[in-house]
Amino acid sequence: MAKITCRDYGFECHYEIEGEVENVIDEYRKHSTEEHGIEYSPEALTQVILRQQG
């Protein structure tokens, strides 16, 4: 299980996604692009998830 929130990136946004790693990455990338105009690479988001878990 993985979880990412916009607060992880310093946004004052209450968006959170939790679930399987691939789904979390896909859904967060969609949200950040549509809502914040920022595109994150899957690799960058994977690093965030790994840091949280480790």
Side-chain angles (χ1 to χ4, degrees):
M1 293 292 282
K3 178 179 177 181
I4 296 180
T5 70
C6 280
R7 290 181 302 272
D8 292 338
Y9 283 98
F11 293 108
E12 292 198 21
C13 173
H14 296 288
Y15 182 82
E16 293 184 1
I17 182 74
E18 188 171 357
E20 296 299 321
V21 174
E22 288 181 18
N23 184 57
V24 167
I25 289 170
D26 289 343
E27 292 301 316
Y28 187 78
R29 289 184 73 216
K30 288 178 197 173
H31 169 78
S32 66
T33 300
E34 293 171 4
E35 295 297 319
H36 305 293
I38 298 173
E39 293 184 27
Y40 292 103
S41 71
E43 295 81 12
L45 295 175
T46 299
Q47 290 300 313
V48 170
I49 291 168
L50 290 174
R51 279 189 295 239
Q52 289 174 347
Q53 292 176 347

